[in-house]
Amino acid sequence: LAQTTTLRKLFLLIESYPTDDGAVRLADAVGRNDTVQELGLHYHGDTVYDGSQAFDNLLLHNTTLRSLNLQGIVDDAGARAIANGLGHNSTLRELYLNYCRIGNDGLIAIADALRHNSTLQKLFLCRNRIGDDGLIAMADTLRHNSTLLTLDFESHSVGGVSEVGATALAGLLRHNDAIEVLRLGYCSIGSAGASALANALTNNNTLQELNLEGCGFGEEGVVAFANALKLNRGLQELILSGNNASQATAELFRDVLRYENRTITWLSVYGLSIPWDIEEDIDRLAEINKESVGCTPQEVAKKKRAEFGPTVNDIYAFVRSFSYLLLDD
């Protein structure tokens, strides 16, 4: 591996407990390789594995690696080691640390490293042991970061992320104009956390995808997003499946997409107790938005009018013109 000049991608699935020596040798070999651009190491065992600390030197010295995926093999100590290398690395673009044992200490170390890193674009940390303190530290760091585009914190519901962490990320969205994808699915953020994120969208037109599936919030949070879509002009995909809302709220979403929003191309509301006909209307209106990318607001409105009838503004204009005719008579 240290001598090959053709290998570009290397993915290893580890089924038995790996040795630290094996990780050190692998990291050392890749560190001396100048062709490998993607490295994946997946471990599915139950035993805590600390060999990820060997990847500190890899990130410190390798200048060609673009993507590093260490699924299931990183705990807090490993995260701190990776953070040390990340703080001095200028080539890595994607870092996947899913299904690991990283807690707040590890995430805080990674957040601190991002203060000195200006190249990482995607960070995936789903199914770890992260809590609000870690998210608060990350949100504070990313206020001054303009390169990270994707942030994935899905599935931290048990004793992990709450409305406190969600509110910190909402504050981030008000100041950061780089993040395009934020995933918090199955984090117990509640209606207060959902409302904070929705309110942040009224001042953010950079975020393109927001995943809040199964986050345990109800009517208040869902309504907040419906109202936010009246003002937001950047969000394209909003996933709210697995939360709770009434038919009235579903109708509100349909009206917002019909009359006011032209950017949402995918709105997932499955499991919100919405009648199938309203859900179909929402899907079709989002589809029209997708089909109409590049069209003028008038052209989009015309397409929706053709399928769903006149808009409120159309009716208002007709009534106003009819009133003028009566006055002239």
Side-chain angles (χ1 to χ4, degrees):
L1 180 60
Q3 298 175 356
T4 182
T5 58
T6 57
L7 190 65
R8 296 290 184 272
K9 301 179 181 180
L10 176 62
F11 292 91
L12 301 174
L13 176 62
I14 303 173
E15 296 182 350
S16 60
Y17 184 70
T19 64
D20 290 355
D21 180 63
V24 170
R25 293 175 63 183
L26 176 63
D28 180 65
V30 176
R32 291 184 285 115
N33 178 285
D34 59 3
T35 61
V36 174
Q37 297 180 2
E38 298 182 30
L39 175 62
L41 188 60
H42 293 195
Y43 172 54
H44 297 286
D46 295 326
T47 308
V48 176
Y49 173 51
D50 298 325
S52 57
Q53 296 180 51
F55 291 90
D56 176 354
N57 288 329
L58 168 61
L59 293 178
L60 283 172
H61 302 295
N62 182 280
T63 59
T64 58
L65 198 64
R66 297 293 183 269
S67 176
L68 178 61
N69 189 331
L70 301 178
Q71 179 172 305
I73 69 171
V74 183
D75 58 5
D76 277 340
R80 287 192 292 269
I82 291 171
N84 182 54
L86 187 63
H88 299 85
N89 182 282
S90 60
T91 56
L92 195 70
R93 299 292 184 270
E94 302 175 3
L95 179 59
Y96 298 81
L97 300 174
N98 298 326
Y99 296 88
C100 291
R101 300 167 185 257
I102 300 172
N104 285 328
D105 290 346
L107 183 58
I108 290 171
I110 293 173
D112 185 62
L114 289 179
R115 295 183 185 275
H116 311 286
N117 181 290
S118 59
T119 54
L120 192 70
Q121 297 177 352
K122 298 181 179 181
L123 178 60
F124 297 84
L125 287 155
C126 74
R127 289 188 180 272
N128 279 278
R129 299 177 176 179
I130 294 166
D132 291 327
D133 290 344
L135 259 66
I136 290 171
M138 182 62 72
D140 182 62
T141 290
L142 294 183
R143 288 181 181 229
H144 311 288
N145 181 294
S146 60
T147 55
L148 196 71
L149 306 177
T150 297
L151 194 56
D152 188 335
F153 287 117
E154 286 190 351
S155 299
H156 291 94
S157 58
V158 181
V161 178
S162 74
E163 64 184 59
V164 176
T167 300
L169 291 176
L172 167 65
L173 292 180
R174 294 191 184 94
H175 297 89
N176 181 289
D177 58 359
I179 295 177
E180 297 176 350
V181 177
L182 177 60
R183 296 173 183 153
L184 289 170
Y186 298 98
C187 292
S188 301
I189 65 174
S191 290
S195 295
L197 288 166
N199 291 334
L201 289 181
T202 62
N203 296 304
N204 180 301
N205 289 317
T206 305
L207 193 70
Q208 298 177 15
E209 177 192 329
L210 179 60
N211 187 334
L212 297 175
E213 181 175 1
C215 284
F217 56 86
E219 195 81 12
E220 178 185 349
V222 178
V223 168
F225 279 106
N227 290 325
L229 293 186
K230 297 177 181 179
L231 300 174
N232 181 276
R233 294 295 179 266
L235 196 66
Q236 298 174 18
E237 298 183 18
L238 177 60
I239 302 174
L240 299 175
S241 303
N243 294 291
N244 298 295
S246 66
Q247 179 173 332
T249 300
E251 292 172 351
L252 176 59
F253 268 115
R254 180 176 61 185
D255 290 344
V256 169
L257 289 186
R258 182 177 177 184
Y259 301 127
E260 301 182 74
N261 183 282
R262 300 185 302 275
T263 58
I264 285 290
T265 58
W266 175 247
L267 176 59
S268 178
V269 292
Y270 178 77
L272 266 67
S273 301
I274 294 176
W276 67 269
D277 57 327
I278 297 179
E279 189 170 345
E280 281 193 342
D281 287 348
I282 289 174
D283 289 344
R284 178 54 189 149
L285 287 163
E287 188 178 357
I288 291 174
N289 283 347
K290 186 175 183 178
E291 294 170 351
S292 305
V293 173
C295 296
T296 65
Q298 294 76 17
E299 290 171 333
V300 179
K302 183 177 180 180
K303 290 183 179 181
K304 293 180 179 179
R305 188 186 306 119
E307 291 195 36
F308 293 92
T311 67
V312 172
N313 289 333
D314 293 331
I315 296 173
Y316 176 74
F318 173 78
V319 172
R320 184 173 57 182
S321 62
F322 186 70
S323 299
Y324 288 154
L325 289 174
L326 291 177
L327 290 173
D328 288 341
D329 291 340

